[in-house]
Amino acid sequence: MTELDELARRRGFYFPSSETYGGVAGFYTYGPAGAALKANVEDAWRERFSTEEGHVEIDAPTVMPEPVFEASGHLDGFDDMLVRCPECAESHRADHLVEDNTDIEEAESFSPEEIAEVIAENGLTCPNCGTELAGEPVEDFNLMFETNIGPGSDRPGYLRPETAQGIFVEFPRLKEYARGQLPFGVTQIGRAYRNEISPRNAVVRTREFTQAELELFVSPGDPGPETSEFAGIEAPLYAASEQGPNGEPELRDIADAVSDGTIGSAYIGYYLAAAREWYERVGLDMNRFRFRQHQAGERAHYAADCWDAEADVSMPGEDPEWIELAGFADRGNYDLSKHAEGGADDFTVFEAYDEPKVVETATVDPDMSYLGPEFGGDAGAVAEALAELAESDRSAFEGEEVEVDGEVDGETHAVPVEKVNFAVEEVEENGEHVTPNVIEPSFGVDRAVYAALVHSYEADEIDGEERDVLRLPAEVAPTTVGVFPLMDKDGMGETARDLAAELRRAGLDAEYDDSGAIGRRYRRQDEVGTPFCVTVDYESLETDTVTLRERDSTAQVRLPTEELVGTLAELKAGRTDFEALRERHDEV
Ligand code: GAP
């Protein structure tokens, strides 16, 4: 357990669930501090990626029926590679075993047979008991949790492995709310479930987790935003072509990387830039952050381009440990096309042309009084086959007879051309039905929370005393302000309690604490990342002032009590900073 995990348990950020019954790997409970931090991170995501973008948010069920996942491809292909130890029977994720013990960086793109060979060639052993794994089969293991819907077992269902499917299946209704106008975006923040082979690293890889996903539906020909919309935002970009044992990401302006084709879509560039700013806003250290492009073999076959946001979450003194925080994919029209095949509704959008277009269409109007006696029960099918042929090959109608080759009962049927009534007509069309493409920024909320905790954690020394501190931004910190009486006597306790209540009524997370020495109370708040503490002392009772202390600098100012609510709201929103307060008020 790292110092951070220890702090997370002790101070109520997160801890393994159901431990009283022995617990089960891959499930974590967020305690009071963690739940507040996670909710604040979700709110910051909603504000940036839903409200600010003008998108709509939905809340779909987490259990979905089997046909959804047949269509989406999860039933057949949502697998990880599993290898079991022949001695202790422990299951391991085979690609992770390879990545952890060889120079191979992206083993996910290998086939199970290739992974089995790498395991044998490198003499890899079971991390649990040390037994050689050479010769053990590497199998695909489907990650979805199956259940039965209702009594009996004739209606299988699955816990959704991503929130995205809840958006895709509702597209026929959602497009109505968007009045059929592309582009439009739909967001969802909710639970997803994956039966991970080896959950690890606290909340980084769990079996139940929270995603914040945005599906942007765009017209197939839409080139995306102008790069000027996100120019000037730099981030380390680790392009697929640069990845390898000595590869290094390059700090680049994201807009330039779109212009020179390193990033394949202006929409992806736009979201990478927005994500770069958002991760900094919720507390990630931009020196431990990068975007990595998927290698061709790693990418889903339908995805045109895909980048991950990654963070190094190693603790001080350890080797870097990069984890995926979010994926940004250009998914083409794969998802909607698949649900159009599997579902009963229309997954297209009608797009009007700027000007009506005159197009030639080839039609047939077969003489059924001829086709009926001639082909009997096959007459209808022959007529349909003729109509299809007119659309696909007009030259078939140039001779004296038209042959419908093998289409009906596998036989060739010949029809005299004068019985077909073939014609080419000019018609005016106002638009066409298109299947939108999908651009998908998909964020893991738990990993954002975890990375914010790792990056904000520091052990330092104040007045010769060690303290653990979480330098979380005020916007996401579980508690905004700790409120203390110097002592709970002579009216200081009542004044401080009233003040805490007033701050809460104003929408600020305030925690009252009167136990122990004031220094210890500061340390307790530092440990959970509370950015400010207010103290009511004897002078407060005489002059109606309080002291306000900043966590990071530990500096304190004295200010009128009546200014406290407004000042803290400004500090939390980032509209002012403590330096400005130090200039305006007396330092203590
Ligand atoms: N709809 C696309 C999708 O689900 P993904 O890369 O599989 O893409 C998106 O998942 C994000 O969800 C990841 O970047 C990660 O942050 C988070 N995530 C995925 N599996 C997770 C797990 N087992 N535990 C915690 N977070 C997970």
Side-chain angles (χ1 to χ4, degrees):
M1 192 160 54
T2 64
E3 298 104 315
L4 181 70
D5 287 336
E6 193 276 322
L7 184 145
R9 283 182 198 209
R10 187 162 43 80
R11 301 311 313 274
F13 280 95
Y14 55 77
F15 37 82
S17 302
S18 310
E19 275 197 319
T20 190
Y21 291 104
V24 54
F27 294 92
Y28 273 80
T29 295
Y30 286 94
L37 170 61
K38 181 167 175 272
N40 291 343
V41 168
E42 288 171 8
D43 285 348
W45 190 91
R46 179 176 287 113
E47 190 185 291
R48 176 62 192 90
F49 291 97
S50 201
T51 316
E52 194 178 322
E53 295 291 315
H55 299 328
V56 293
E57 182 175 349
I58 69 161
D59 186 7
T62 54
V63 175
M64 301 176 87
E66 188 169 67
V68 171
F69 299 111
E70 256 164 24
S72 68
H74 285 89
L75 211 51
D76 273 349
F78 195 59
D79 303 324
D80 274 344
M81 284 177 273
L82 165 73
V83 61
R84 275 202 186 84
C85 173
E87 189 60 34
C88 70
E90 183 88 2
S91 299
H92 303 288
R93 194 163 148 184
D95 53 330
H96 284 174
L97 204 62
V98 165
E99 284 167 14
D100 292 347
N101 295 289
T102 70
D103 287 341
I104 297 169
E105 284 188 3
E106 294 306 329
E108 209 182 333
S109 57
F110 287 40
S111 69
E113 295 73 30
E114 287 167 334
I115 290 287
E117 270 171 39
V118 178
I119 288 177
E121 277 164 15
N122 290 274
L124 301 191
T125 55
C126 169
N128 192 40
C129 70
T131 302
E132 285 262 353
L133 294 173
E136 292 308 311
V138 175
E139 298 160 21
D140 278 330
F141 172 76
N142 193 291
L143 297 185
M144 283 200 298
F145 282 102
E146 189 177 358
T147 185
N148 289 306
I149 301 174
S153 57
D154 57 345
R155 199 91 215 274
Y158 294 86
L159 299 185
R160 64 183 183 195
E162 57 175 7
T163 61
Q165 295 305 322
I167 298 179
F168 296 141
V169 297
E170 307 306 352
F171 180 80
R173 279 185 207 277
L174 293 169
K175 72 177 179 188
E176 303 299 332
Y177 302 124
R179 293 184 293 282
Q181 298 292 310
L182 297 175
F184 72 89
V186 182
T187 63
Q188 182 166 209
I189 301 175
R191 297 288 177 142
Y193 301 83
R194 297 184 189 176
N195 198 5
E196 297 285 355
I197 295 169
S198 23
R200 60 180 178 180
N201 217 351
V203 295
V204 169
R205 185 171 297 283
T206 52
R207 291 178 165 140
E208 174 172 350
F209 53 97
T210 302
Q211 290 186 317
E213 298 201 291
L214 158 56
E215 309 302 328
L216 185 75
F217 299 102
V218 303
S219 179
D222 182 349
E226 295 291 333
T227 51
S228 56
E229 279 191 40
F230 50 94
I233 299 173
E234 288 187 339
L237 299 183
Y238 201 10
S241 55
E242 301 303 314
Q243 292 165 31
N246 300 316
E248 283 291 332
E250 190 187 351
L251 185 66
R252 299 209 51 201
D253 187 316
I254 294 172
D256 290 345
V258 170
S259 301
D260 73 13
T262 307
I263 297 171
S265 143
Y267 274 121
I268 298 284
Y270 175 84
Y271 287 122
L272 295 189
R276 150 77 182 74
E277 295 194 320
W278 183 81
Y279 278 116
E280 187 169 24
R281 170 175 158 183
V282 297
L284 270 71
D285 175 358
M286 289 298 114
N287 294 316
R288 302 173 70 186
F289 178 85
R290 69 186 185 190
F291 290 114
R292 189 184 65 79
Q293 188 174 32
H294 279 206
Q295 307 266 7
E298 215 184 324
R299 226 168 35 217
H301 66 276
Y302 49 81
D305 193 15
C306 190
W307 288 76
D308 286 343
E310 295 187 336
D312 168 17
V313 292
S314 56
M315 295 303 284
E318 291 176 351
D319 286 341
E321 184 187 351
W322 290 95
I323 60 160
E324 175 193 329
L325 300 171
F328 303 81
D330 178 346
R331 299 175 66 112
N333 68 11
Y334 174 83
D335 306 281
L336 296 185
S337 301
K338 286 290 169 190
H339 288 302
E341 279 170 28
D345 292 312
D346 179 7
F347 285 74
T348 65
V349 165
F350 183 77
E351 285 211 304
Y353 298 134
D354 293 340
E355 296 283 325
K357 277 186 195 168
V358 175
V359 292
E360 282 189 342
T361 56
T363 58
V364 290
D365 182 14
D367 180 350
M368 295 309 284
S369 66
Y370 171 80
L371 260 55
E374 189 67 20
F375 302 118
D378 287 344
V382 170
E384 262 176 42
L386 285 167
E388 277 167 24
L389 190 61
E391 275 178 24
S392 61
D393 180 12
R394 291 179 198 176
S395 65
F397 297 81
E398 283 166 5
E400 291 190 355
E401 281 197 332
V402 193
E403 285 192 351
V404 195
D405 203 8
E407 297 288 334
V408 182
D409 284 348
E411 286 175 24
T412 298
H413 295 74
V415 186
V417 79
E418 73 270 13
K419 303 290 183 196
V420 170
N421 290 320
F422 174 79
V424 175
E425 291 166 9
E426 284 193 342
V427 289
E428 199 177 82
E429 285 185 355
N430 295 316
E432 62 183 324
H433 286 272
V434 298
T435 305
N437 286 344
V438 171
I439 308 289
E440 181 194 65
S442 169
F443 289 65
V445 173
D446 310 80
R447 293 185 186 181
V449 166
Y450 184 78
L453 284 172
V454 173
H455 289 189
S456 64
Y457 173 77
E458 214 177 286
D460 66 2
E461 210 173 274
I462 299 289
D463 303 331
E465 207 187 307
E466 273 189 18
R467 72 163 180 172
D468 284 336
V469 58
L470 290 175
R471 299 188 190 281
L472 290 167
E475 183 185 359
V476 297
T479 303
T480 310
V481 57
V483 183
F484 314 147
L486 186 62
M487 286 169 282
D488 188 9
K489 64 185 222 189
D490 300 331
M492 287 182 283
E494 286 82 62
T495 306
R497 274 189 286 272
D498 288 349
L499 196 54
E502 186 188 338
L503 291 164
R504 287 190 208 110
R505 279 196 297 276
L508 293 158
D509 299 300
E511 191 178 310
Y512 173 85
D513 185 3
D514 60 17
S515 69
I518 199 95
R520 289 195 63 82
R521 285 183 251 164
Y522 283 142
R523 302 288 168 276
R524 276 203 290 271
Q525 293 300 331
D526 291 343
E527 272 195 345
V528 290
T530 306
F532 308 106
C533 288
V534 167
T535 303
V536 173
D537 55 13
Y538 282 109
E539 197 174 330
S540 305
L541 303 180
E542 284 166 21
T543 59
D544 213 0
T545 58
V546 288
T547 65
L548 180 63
R549 170 195 185 259
E550 188 198 32
R551 174 197 64 208
D552 293 345
S553 61
T554 70
Q556 293 188 54
V557 293
R558 182 171 288 279
L559 78 167
T561 312
E562 63 180 15
E563 287 183 24
L564 192 62
V565 167
T567 302
L568 283 168
E570 295 274 299
L571 285 166
K572 184 173 180 185
R575 286 192 292 269
T576 189
D577 60 21
F578 210 78
E579 274 312 298
L581 291 192
R582 288 170 90 167
E583 280 165 27
R584 283 209 309 274
H585 299 287
D586 289 342
E587 276 202 53
V588 182

